[in-house]
Amino acid sequence: MKKAKIVQTIRLFCLLAVISGCQTDNATSPGTTALAKGLTPAYLRCEHLLNPLGIDKTRPRLSWIVESAQRGRKQTAYRILVAGSEENIKADRGDLWDSGKIESDETKYVFYSGTPLNSHTQCYWKVMVWDRYDRASGWSEPAMWTMGLLKPGDWRGRWIGYNTRDLKPEKEAGEEDSSGKPVVDSGKGDKNKLVLPRPAYMRKEFTLEKPVRRAVLYSTALGIYEMHINGHRVGKDYFTPGWTDYDKRIYYNTYDVTGMLRRTDNTIGAIVADGWYSGYIGWGKKRDHYGKQPRLLAQLYLEYTDGSTEVITTDESWRASVGGLLEADFLMGETCDGRRRIAGWDEPGFEQAGWEAVSCFENTKAKLQSYPGPTVQIFSEMQPVKITEPKKDVHVFDMGTNFAGWARLRVKGGKAGDKIVLRYAERLNPDGTIYTKNLRGARATDTYICNGGGEEIWEPRFTYHGFQYVEVTGYPGKPSTDAITGIQITSATPPAGSFECSDEMINKLYRNICQTQRANFIDIPTDCPQRDERLGWTGDAQIYIRTACMNTDTHAFFTKWLADLADAQRADGQFPKVAPVKTAGNDGGPAWADAGIICPWTIYEVYGDKQILQKYYEGMARFIDFCKDRSTEELLPPRKYHCYGDWLNIEADTPKDVIYTCYFAHSTRLMSRIAQALGKDADFQKYSRLFERIKKAFNKAYVDDEGRIKGDTQCCYVMAICFDLLDPDRQDLAAGHLIDDIKSRNWHLSTGFVGTKDLMLALAKIGRNDVAYRLLHNDTFPSWGFSIRHGATSIWERWDGWTPEKGFHKPGMNSFAHYSFGAVGDWMFRTIGGIDTDGPGFKKIIIRPQPGGRLHWAKTSYNSINGKIATAWKIHDGTLSLNVTIPANTTATVYVPAVSAEDVTESGRPAAKSRYVKFIRMEDKAAVYEIGSGDYTFISRDFAGSSIKQ
């Protein structure tokens, strides 16, 4: 009888649950079938990377996300297991670390706290989490990392090199002297001649006496290198070990090469080219910035099945020569003579007669560290969309888009000695020939000399170009489309964002933004991929960094570059124009030097990484002191200082003293927030007071009673509004002046790099997204749409890089792949998509799409540090539908455009009555709700009445 009553009670409870609608959000109570699914830990990362090799931090940080198909799911505890073998992790044995159950909702940056880790250690790990009902998930899929070389003494190899620079010169690369030995121009004599030494080939044979359980290769170079084992290239990375200040820091790469070794006889080899170390960098045809002779350092760590170990290193036993590569330089290009390719040089049994002993060098004083970021890799391959012949036997391949990389050549029917020349360009001249004037001193030419006899395939490995068009000359016969394949490269930052809307021009704009980011994220954030520059400009980086973070996961990428920036900081605290510092100077000036504050803050803001603030806090504090010390007593600019101004504006020069003071104030305010985030209360108060003093000085010196700022440019008002520099009684007046200036230009912008960064955000802040949408939709000069209307497949450096009236701008500075003006992507995510963070790391999320302009729908997503956030809105017959996805373990504040809350439903019921939806208030013609994680569908029935200045 008692049992029957219990069953009856359960049935009644279930019936009430159905009536109340609880089943629609799949979240009733513990023990139900829906809840049994709970949370799932996924996407495990170590130091921001997936399964990284060679970590050199003794307490690496571990991160994951939690996923759930249900609403309102939160992690309340976790347990981490770390094991030294796959067998142990599969058996749930954490022999290196078992954290036990830790009561916490944290899913990122958990420090490894187990047995101290040694060099070479393999670490396999997984995580289990608990939900709010104290139910454990299953274990995640295992992930792994390996430790690198933790102590300087772990490096046993010697730096080796081979001097190819002093080979006997000849009249033309590729010819032979009387002995038949290939030689190149050494550059001696004529100072205008290019010095293009041949890459060095180095090799060593060794024999294994017993079975190998594991083999790990650690390698680096002064220059760029490519390792080979037994006839195969090691890894899929390019331009390793990356660009650093080689006098201070050199990175090494780690590869598991177990599967590449043979049972007995083996060969390890390398090709080493100049790269950034001794090749041409920047303008002026200058090279040898760090040294003249590239070098290699490598060691192969072997673990045998019997438990013993052995290390094979670079040393005096290696032999060296040259091969088919006659030239290899980033700016100038690569030349290969197919007749001189050395078959089998990297395999056992190769006859190495004539190969010479390598030179050995002393160790450098620079730090040797594991590469912390994503390496440069192939992103995609593409086929030409068209071939033209503007001149006889001159064939131009149109690849369909502007990108960074090179062309793979396929040639059939070539005779020995036929020379095929590939030249690269972003645009075409009116006669259909390639436009190369904007390349300045970059030769950007690859050459292949045929071996003859059948089909030959070749592609460069130690150079890259920025291009959409490839000019091919010397090709035997008429080439078909398969003669050229475009190889697109980029630093392998994982995709994070997506955007699509009802306006195809805006979709093209977003694609162009992403395309240009890929083309310029080549180990460092460069300004352009085509001309003789390709430097890590600090101003460009700070202008674009937030957009970059929304497009891809750039956490590890900027972790690497911020170390370059710190290495480049001057002793007096000033940050440079570029990092690493070469060609351009070390005095960044306003809006450029401020990258030293803005970039670390943005990484913290997007990824919640407090360690990045801790690491660079002292350097940031020195920068603020530098700015303060060089300013006047009134905290205004000194008599002399460097400043680029609002770079590449349209006839609207903003006074440099205004930019100086605005950015001094902005960085100081960010510094106060950084101090607050780190719990440095005294510093927080100090920097807050300093900001108020700068703000007061700014208003006194540059703002009149009518809210008009000195210079009266759009950039002036944008900075003042976004940086909160205006007194309340002048804010609205200044906003009016900004709108008046835009209107006076027939609703067009005039801003350069500095002003464009925040222009759309300033308009959003003053409630004038109607004007922002108008600028976005423009396709007349100057605008984003103007370049697209004229065929742009990337973001141009200048608004007037090309115009119908004037043609190409002066070639001295006219890149067609330059991401700065692509910073509008930030506004697109925040305003069209409505995705933003409320505090660091998207733990609390803001969803506030603000439809406008000619858009009828938009879909936006972002894979945040905590998981996927997505919005999709559509307007039909005055009704707005808004789909929202919030990742587990987070919450969001959602702003639904509406006349009143009564007009808003969620999943078919009044929004305020839906589970995990809490109505907060009406604000600026939007109903504001707090929601938990999960999927939601809001309907605003009277959206047309809520629209502001549509």
Side-chain angles (χ1 to χ4, degrees):
M1 188 71 175
K2 187 179 292 185
K3 182 177 180 181
K5 284 185 177 180
I6 292 173
V7 171
Q8 199 172 21
T9 302
I10 292 173
R11 286 174 177 170
L12 179 60
F13 175 81
C14 293
L15 178 62
L16 290 172
V18 171
I19 293 171
S20 67
C22 290
Q23 81 284 359
T24 60
D25 57 29
N26 295 322
T28 52
S29 61
T32 64
T33 302
L35 277 173
K37 298 176 182 177
L39 292 172
T40 302
Y43 195 49
L44 277 60
R45 286 145 292 146
C46 175
E47 290 299 332
H48 333 308
L49 300 169
L50 294 171
N51 301 323
L53 303 181
I55 294 292
D56 59 5
K57 294 183 178 181
T58 55
R59 294 189 65 206
R61 296 177 297 165
L62 307 178
S63 303
W64 61 93
I65 65 172
V66 289
E67 297 176 331
S68 176
Q70 303 160 305
R71 288 186 178 180
R73 292 296 168 258
K74 290 187 177 181
Q75 173 188 298
T76 59
Y78 65 82
R79 179 187 175 193
I80 297 173
L81 286 186
V82 183
S85 68
E86 288 185 88
E87 294 75 21
N88 280 345
I89 202 67
K90 288 178 180 178
D92 301 338
R93 290 192 295 269
D95 56 310
L96 293 178
W97 184 37
D98 183 344
S99 71
K101 184 179 180 181
I102 305 295
E103 303 286 343
S104 171
D105 69 346
E106 190 60 82
T107 61
K108 56 185 183 294
Y109 315 131
V110 176
F111 283 97
Y112 169 84
S113 300
T115 302
L117 300 173
N118 299 315
S119 297
H120 318 299
T121 301
Q122 291 177 291
C123 302
Y124 298 88
W125 71 289
K126 57 185 178 182
V127 62
M128 173 186 290
V129 300
W130 281 260
D131 66 12
R132 62 179 179 167
Y133 301 110
D134 199 34
R135 287 173 320 188
S137 70
W139 286 109
S140 69
E141 289 297 317
M144 59 86 69
W145 82 88
T146 69
M147 301 302 292
L149 302 175
L150 303 182
K151 301 175 183 177
D154 291 335
W155 281 100
R156 303 183 194 175
R158 300 187 66 185
W159 286 97
I160 63 173
Y162 180 60
N163 186 5
T164 68
R165 194 164 184 159
D166 293 333
L167 291 175
K168 181 181 176 182
E170 61 181 25
K171 293 181 180 180
E172 183 178 350
E175 294 182 356
E176 297 178 351
D177 64 10
S178 57
S179 67
K181 184 176 181 180
V183 289
V184 296
D185 190 345
S186 68
K188 295 178 180 179
D190 186 349
K191 65 179 181 180
N192 292 318
K193 281 187 177 181
L194 296 177
V195 179
L196 296 170
R198 299 175 70 171
Y201 288 63
M202 294 179 275
R203 69 186 305 275
K204 175 186 175 65
E205 295 192 10
F206 61 97
T207 300
L208 299 177
E209 302 293 342
K210 43 191 173 181
V212 170
R213 186 183 77 84
R214 177 181 172 224
V216 181
L217 176 64
Y218 304 97
S219 49
T220 186
L222 294 173
I224 53 177
Y225 73 95
E226 184 179 279
M227 297 299 298
H228 289 242
I229 292 180
N230 294 332
H232 298 282
R233 185 178 184 271
V234 175
K236 55 184 179 181
D237 308 326
Y238 290 85
F239 313 150
T240 49
W243 187 5
T244 57
D245 183 338
Y246 301 103
D247 296 325
K248 296 181 179 179
R249 189 186 312 268
I250 304 169
Y251 290 123
Y252 66 85
N253 308 98
T254 305
Y255 301 98
D256 188 320
V257 295
T258 309
M260 301 183 74
L261 296 182
R262 299 176 183 175
R263 179 63 183 85
T264 53
D265 296 334
N266 292 268
T267 295
I268 183 171
I271 308 173
V272 183
D274 292 344
W276 294 286
Y277 179 75
S278 58
Y280 288 95
I281 294 177
W283 54 82
K285 293 186 178 178
K286 296 178 181 178
R287 55 171 293 130
D288 302 332
H289 292 274
Y290 299 96
K292 289 188 175 183
Q293 184 172 335
R295 305 171 195 177
L296 175 73
L297 175 66
Q299 60 188 52
L300 179 61
Y301 172 76
L302 302 172
E303 288 183 9
Y304 294 107
T305 54
D306 64 3
S308 62
T309 63
E310 182 182 2
V311 178
I312 295 170
T313 70
T314 46
D315 57 23
E316 64 278 358
S317 67
W318 285 55
R319 309 295 287 180
S321 185
V322 291
L325 292 179
L326 308 183
E327 301 172 346
D329 184 84
F330 278 136
L331 299 183
M332 304 307 166
E334 193 164 316
T335 297
C336 177
D337 189 338
R339 299 168 299 178
R340 298 190 174 95
R341 283 173 146 177
I342 310 173
W345 72 273
D346 52 359
E347 295 190 70
F350 173 74
E351 177 53 60
Q352 60 182 23
W355 285 55
E356 302 178 38
V358 297
S359 299
C360 292
F361 301 88
E362 295 297 321
N363 289 335
T364 71
K365 296 180 180 180
K367 299 176 185 176
L368 271 174
Q369 297 179 325
S370 180
Y371 189 80
T375 53
V376 176
Q377 297 180 9
I378 292 176
F379 178 80
S380 68
E381 297 185 6
M382 58 188 73
Q383 297 303 314
V385 297
K386 185 170 60 174
I387 306 175
T388 59
E389 190 175 2
K391 295 182 179 179
K392 183 175 174 52
D393 297 328
V394 176
H395 304 280
V396 175
F397 290 71
D398 180 354
M399 306 309 299
T401 190
N402 197 8
F403 64 99
W406 55 79
R408 178 187 297 144
L409 174 68
R410 182 189 301 267
V411 57
K412 303 173 184 177
K415 294 178 292 187
D418 281 356
K419 182 185 293 186
I420 303 170
V421 178
L422 313 180
R423 296 201 302 151
Y424 299 83
E426 297 179 290
R427 305 285 286 178
L428 297 179
N429 291 308
D431 64 358
T433 59
I434 59 172
Y435 171 72
T436 60
K437 290 182 179 179
N438 68 327
L439 302 181
R440 300 189 312 208
R443 189 179 65 179
T445 301
D446 296 331
T447 302
Y448 180 69
I449 302 170
C450 293
N451 182 45
E455 181 178 79
E456 299 179 57
I457 299 174
W458 173 78
E459 64 185 273
R461 292 120 81 187
F462 300 106
T463 189
Y464 76 96
H465 315 284
F467 66 101
Q468 179 172 337
Y469 301 94
V470 185
E471 177 197 87
V472 179
T473 56
Y475 194 92
K478 187 173 183 178
S480 58
T481 54
D482 68 350
I484 292 293
T485 299
I487 308 298
Q488 181 176 198
I489 61 166
T490 190
S491 286
T493 55
S498 68
F499 176 88
E500 185 181 9
C501 70
S502 57
D503 189 317
E504 183 54 27
M505 189 195 78
I506 297 175
N507 292 336
K508 288 182 179 179
L509 171 60
Y510 182 68
R511 290 196 293 269
N512 289 359
I513 291 170
C514 295
Q515 189 72 10
T516 308
Q517 179 173 323
R518 284 192 290 269
N520 281 289
F521 277 28
I522 307 291
D523 189 71
I524 64 169
T526 66
D527 57 324
C528 56
Q530 75 296 104
R531 68 180 179 228
D532 57 349
E533 195 160 344
R534 311 185 196 185
L535 304 174
W537 285 95
T538 51
D540 306 46
Q542 72 87 3
I543 285 165
Y544 186 75
I545 185 171
R546 179 58 187 262
T547 298
C549 291
M550 301 304 289
N551 291 335
T552 67
D553 180 354
T554 61
H555 194 173
F557 177 84
F558 276 108
T559 295
K560 186 270 179 189
W561 185 72
L562 286 174
D564 298 330
L565 184 58
D567 286 345
Q569 186 176 17
R570 291 190 331 206
D572 63 3
Q574 176 66 314
F575 285 107
K577 299 175 183 176
V578 298
V581 177
K582 286 298 171 186
T583 304
N586 61 8
D587 180 2
W592 272 252
D594 297 88
I597 302 285
I598 295 169
C599 290
W601 171 258
T602 304
I603 295 300
Y604 169 69
E605 187 179 41
V606 173
Y607 302 109
D609 186 357
K610 192 176 291 186
Q611 190 179 79
I612 209 87
L613 303 182
Q614 295 167 335
K615 183 175 182 179
Y616 297 116
Y617 187 83
E618 186 273 336
M620 292 188 283
R622 285 196 294 117
F623 172 69
I624 298 298
D625 287 344
F626 167 80
C627 294
K628 183 174 178 290
D629 292 344
R630 73 168 176 171
S631 299
T632 66
E633 291 185 5
E634 296 80 13
L635 298 176
L636 296 176
R639 189 171 62 87
K640 290 184 178 181
Y641 60 95
H642 159 70
C643 180
Y644 281 117
D646 186 22
W647 193 246
L648 301 183
N649 64 81
I650 300 296
E651 298 179 357
D653 288 335
T654 299
K656 293 179 179 179
D657 53 348
V658 173
I659 296 176
Y660 178 107
T661 309
C662 283
Y663 265 87
F664 180 19
H666 181 49
S667 286
T668 300
R669 193 180 200 193
L670 291 183
M671 195 64 190
S672 72
R673 293 172 178 171
I674 291 168
Q676 186 178 40
L678 296 179
K680 298 178 181 291
D681 294 338
D683 282 0
F684 166 66
Q685 296 294 337
K686 178 179 72 173
Y687 293 122
S688 296
R689 289 192 298 269
L690 179 58
F691 169 76
E692 292 299 332
R693 289 177 59 202
I694 301 168
K695 176 179 177 179
K696 183 177 180 180
F698 176 82
N699 280 271
K700 182 178 180 181
Y702 305 126
V703 188
D704 67 18
D705 293 339
E706 300 301 318
R708 198 171 298 279
I709 301 173
K710 178 182 177 182
D712 196 26
T713 64
Q714 293 176 21
C715 180
C716 290
Y717 298 110
V718 165
M719 290 187 298
I721 290 168
C722 280
F723 299 166
D724 293 322
L725 290 178
L726 295 167
D727 294 333
D729 59 334
R730 298 175 180 176
Q731 174 85 17
D732 291 343
L733 295 171
H737 298 316
L738 172 60
I739 300 302
D740 288 343
D741 188 278
I742 295 172
K743 183 178 180 180
S744 72
R745 297 172 183 271
N746 195 24
W747 301 103
H748 283 73
L749 54 73
S750 66
T751 48
F753 284 12
V754 174
T756 301
K757 175 197 175 186
D758 293 311
L759 172 62
M760 306 289 266
L761 297 175
L763 292 170
K765 188 172 184 178
I766 63 175
R768 295 306 303 267
N769 270 318
D770 60 312
V771 178
Y773 272 108
R774 197 162 185 170
L775 297 178
L776 184 70
H777 286 300
N778 280 341
D779 66 358
T780 51
F781 177 81
S783 67
W784 293 280
F786 173 78
S787 62
I788 293 171
R789 185 157 64 91
H790 292 288
T793 59
S794 52
I795 301 297
W796 293 0
E797 180 177 22
R798 325 180 68 106
W799 298 116
D800 57 351
W802 182 92
T803 63
E805 298 80 14
K806 299 180 180 179
F808 292 111
H809 199 280
K810 294 179 181 178
M813 191 174 61
N814 195 22
S815 163
F816 291 95
H818 201 295
Y819 54 63
S820 291
F821 288 144
V824 67
D826 181 13
W827 176 86
M828 293 166 67
F829 273 92
R830 296 196 207 207
T831 303
I832 302 177
I835 297 174
D836 203 354
T837 183
D838 183 6
F842 289 90
K843 181 70 171 177
K844 295 182 179 180
I845 299 161
I846 296 173
I847 300 295
R848 193 172 191 171
Q850 299 179 61
R854 299 195 295 267
L855 299 188
H856 304 296
W857 59 266
K859 298 178 182 179
T860 311
S861 70
Y862 174 60
N863 290 323
S864 75
I865 191 76
N866 291 304
K868 184 176 181 179
I869 306 165
T871 64
W873 58 260
K874 184 177 182 179
I875 302 168
H876 181 69
D877 290 339
T879 296
L880 170 74
S881 64
L882 171 62
N883 295 323
V884 176
T885 297
I886 303 300
N889 209 39
T890 68
T891 59
T893 303
V894 180
Y895 295 74
V896 181
V899 173
S900 69
E902 286 72 24
D903 293 323
V904 181
T905 62
E906 194 287 309
S907 296
R909 72 188 74 179
K913 295 182 180 180
S914 187
R915 287 290 298 271
Y916 298 104
V917 178
K918 180 181 179 181
F919 174 70
I920 304 300
R921 63 186 179 275
M922 290 297 299
E923 179 182 316
D924 294 335
K925 294 189 177 182
V928 184
Y929 302 91
E930 286 185 359
I931 65 174
S933 63
D935 296 324
Y936 300 81
T937 299
F938 294 92
I939 303 293
S940 178
R941 290 191 299 271
D942 192 16
F943 168 73
S946 72
S947 301
I948 302 173
K949 298 183 178 68
Q950 292 297 314

